[in-house]
Amino acid sequence: LIPTAQNVLTLSRYKPLGWGIDSYITNGVNWLKSQQKSDGGFAEDTGATIGNAYDTALAYQALNQAKLAGNAAAIGAQTALDNAQTFLVNNQGTDGSWGSDALATAVALQTLPATTLADSQNNGVPDVVRAIIGTDARGLVQGNGQSVIGLTASLLVANATVGVPFNYTLSASGGTAPYTYAIASGTLPDGLSLNPGSGVISGTPTRDGPFNFNYQATDASSASLSTAGQIVVAVQATDAGDVPTLPEWGAIIMAVLLMTSQLLQNRKRRS
């Protein structure tokens, strides 16, 4: 169950790139749904009759991420999601933990509504957690498990060609407009630049190769999110039809010039 849930999470994250992987996500979602116990929980042990907190929370995240990615099988699994969340709510200990296990408790908290813990930035990271860890990083899953997403920005994967003008507009949503953009790490292809206010990457690439970077989107309330990007610059292909050819008279003149040059060289040798 754990490897399947992790793979569904990963594939669902990259589904928006259009890699044709939805059928694999569907197969994983259907298998996960078949493993749900009668109490609404999930367990790595296929022979178990009841669920446990960690496995249930992980399965919930996988199903929900697939749903957010638009997978039809996951969209139809709302009952399974509701039952899993009910299981987690009912199995929280009186001390606030799940099974006195820090990891299980942290993962279980990610499946609960944003209203469970105060989240002033509405990005899925409770204020008390942000104060402790000093960051808004949330790992693999964006949002808070209830389709209430804070600031989000799409992965950038694009192709460009040396010597051909390039234009791509970054976008962000879920936060408070307007947004500003900056390159957080890595570099854009030579010849391209980013307009911080509009999010437009433009220019004419001057060198080929893959260029990897992370760009940061920041909204008006200073909430920010760093997202990966890659622009692959290729060399412009040469069209054989564009190779200039000499007309017939030009070929004749060239032949005469070559013959004349050869005769002159021979005379010089004889003299």
Side-chain angles (χ1 to χ4, degrees), residues 138-152:
R138 290 175 283 116
L140 288 176
V141 182
Q142 292 189 356
N144 52 29
Q146 292 294 303
S147 301
V148 181
I149 297 182
L151 179 62
T152 62

Side-chain angles (χ1 to χ4, degrees), residues 119-143:
D119 180 12
S120 59
Q121 293 187 341
N122 194 33
N123 64 357
V125 181
D127 294 341
V128 293
V129 174
R130 184 184 304 106
I132 295 173
I133 65 177
T135 179
D136 287 330
R138 290 175 283 116
L140 288 176
V141 182
Q142 292 189 356

Side-chain angles (χ1 to χ4, degrees), residues 201-251:
I201 297 175
S202 61
T204 301
T206 59
R207 183 165 62 91
D208 65 311
F211 294 83
N212 300 297
F213 55 91
N214 286 305
Y215 75 89
Q216 182 171 291
T218 304
D219 73 356
S221 65
S222 297
S224 63
L225 177 71
S226 182
T227 304
Q230 181 187 67
I231 299 176
V232 179
V233 182
V235 177
Q236 189 169 11
T238 300
D239 186 348
D242 291 338
V243 177
T245 58
L246 286 172
E248 184 177 354
W249 60 266

Side-chain angles (χ1 to χ4, degrees), residues 15-126:
K15 179 179 180 293
L17 297 179
W19 290 352
I21 56 178
D22 195 51
S23 62
Y24 300 98
I25 298 173
T26 296
N27 291 338
V29 166
N30 289 334
W31 187 87
L32 284 174
K33 290 193 298 183
S34 72
Q35 300 303 304
Q36 193 166 30
K37 310 302 179 183
S38 59
D39 60 358
F42 290 82
E44 174 74 10
D45 182 1
T46 56
T49 58
I50 60 174
N52 65 71
Y54 176 78
D55 296 343
T56 300
L58 189 59
Y60 179 97
Q61 290 188 40
L63 292 173
N64 193 61
Q65 185 69 10
K67 173 187 172 184
L68 294 176
N71 178 265
I75 292 173
Q78 188 58 51
T79 299
L81 285 166
D82 292 341
N83 291 339
Q85 192 173 80
T86 298
F87 170 88
L88 291 169
V89 170
N90 291 338
N91 283 273
Q92 186 179 25
T94 56
D95 61 353
S97 74
W98 276 265
S100 298
D101 185 299
L103 178 60
T105 299
V107 177
L109 282 173
Q110 294 183 49
T111 70
L112 300 180
T115 53
T116 300
L117 294 174
D119 180 12
S120 59
Q121 293 187 341
N122 194 33
N123 64 357
V125 181

